Amino acid sequence: MKNITLGEHGPSVGRLGLGLMGMSAFYTGAGQDDAASINTIHRALDLGVTLLDTAEIYGPYLNEERRGRALVGRRDSATVATKFGTIQHRTDNQYGRDASAENVRLSIEGSLKRLGMDHVDLYYLHRVDPNTPIEETVGAMAELLVAIDAGREPENDIPSVVPGLRAAFAAARSASNGDAPRRRASRR
């Protein structure tokens, strides 16, 4: 399989990725066959598919748990992507948009636990929360990230098509004393 690099400095992944939503949510039979789902993930990895995409809302939670089980012993062969912002962890853990700083932290902690991993490779907001300023969300994400190598300009990785995102990232970077975040979110 041919690979591509995500962004200018992102991970190299197979040109085809595997979206895992249907294995645990929203379709008839979703979530009913754990073995078949894990076998599908293994076969995809064997064929060179390295980007596996999920979200905490799928199941909810079942999808991340399943992917964690599928990657035992194979973690290094996959680029792990998950999304947050559609479960309200600060209140009742029900569906609803919440991109607050506290929810960002609660979401990644839960995702890492369910995945059985100490980091994810790509972590992104599933749905914009109109009640939370994007600067707060991006700032919380920046706090999760580890400082990158000197000289790198992470702003180049931020899509310019998202209004205000570059400014939000710059504000978050400034608030963190100039430390530039990189794309790997991990437990501290």
Side-chain angles (χ1 to χ4, degrees), residues 66-86:
R66 180 173 285 149
R67 185 169 61 179
R69 288 192 301 274
L71 291 179
V72 169
R74 299 185 77 166
R75 172 60 177 95
D76 292 339
S77 63
T79 297
V80 177
T82 194
K83 300 177 281 296
F84 70 94
T86 53

Side-chain angles (χ1 to χ4, degrees), residues 112-175:
L112 292 172
K113 182 177 179 181
R114 286 184 295 276
L115 290 162
M117 299 175 183
D118 66 352
H119 72 277
V120 296
D121 302 300
L122 299 170
Y123 190 57
Y124 45 103
L125 180 61
H126 205 159
R127 298 283 185 268
V128 173
D129 173 3
N131 298 313
T132 303
I134 193 67
E135 292 84 0
E136 179 180 339
T137 306
V138 174
M141 293 173 72
E143 289 174 13
L144 296 174
L145 303 177
V146 189
I148 62 167
D149 298 332
R152 168 129 178 268
E153 292 300 324
E155 290 86 353
N156 293 334
D157 291 341
I158 298 173
S160 58
V161 297
V162 181
L165 195 52
R166 283 188 189 276
F169 186 86
R173 185 177 187 191
S174 175

Side-chain angles (χ1 to χ4, degrees), residues 1-7 10-17 48 50-51 79:
M1 167 135 359
K2 291 182 180 180
N3 285 358
I4 60 169
T5 300
L6 300 179
S12 176
V13 297
R15 285 189 155 195
L16 297 177
T50 58
L51 178 59
T79 297

Side-chain angles (χ1 to χ4, degrees), residues 15-62:
R15 285 189 155 195
L16 297 177
L18 180 61
L20 305 178
M21 179 181 74
M23 294 181 181
S24 61
F26 308 117
Y27 297 104
T28 302
Q32 296 180 5
D33 195 342
D34 197 55
S37 295
I38 290 173
N39 287 339
T40 299
I41 293 169
H42 287 170
R43 181 68 175 139
L45 292 171
D46 293 343
L47 293 171
V49 174
T50 58
L51 178 59
L52 303 177
D53 180 75
T54 188
E56 64 179 359
I57 192 66
Y58 302 157
Y61 311 127
L62 175 62

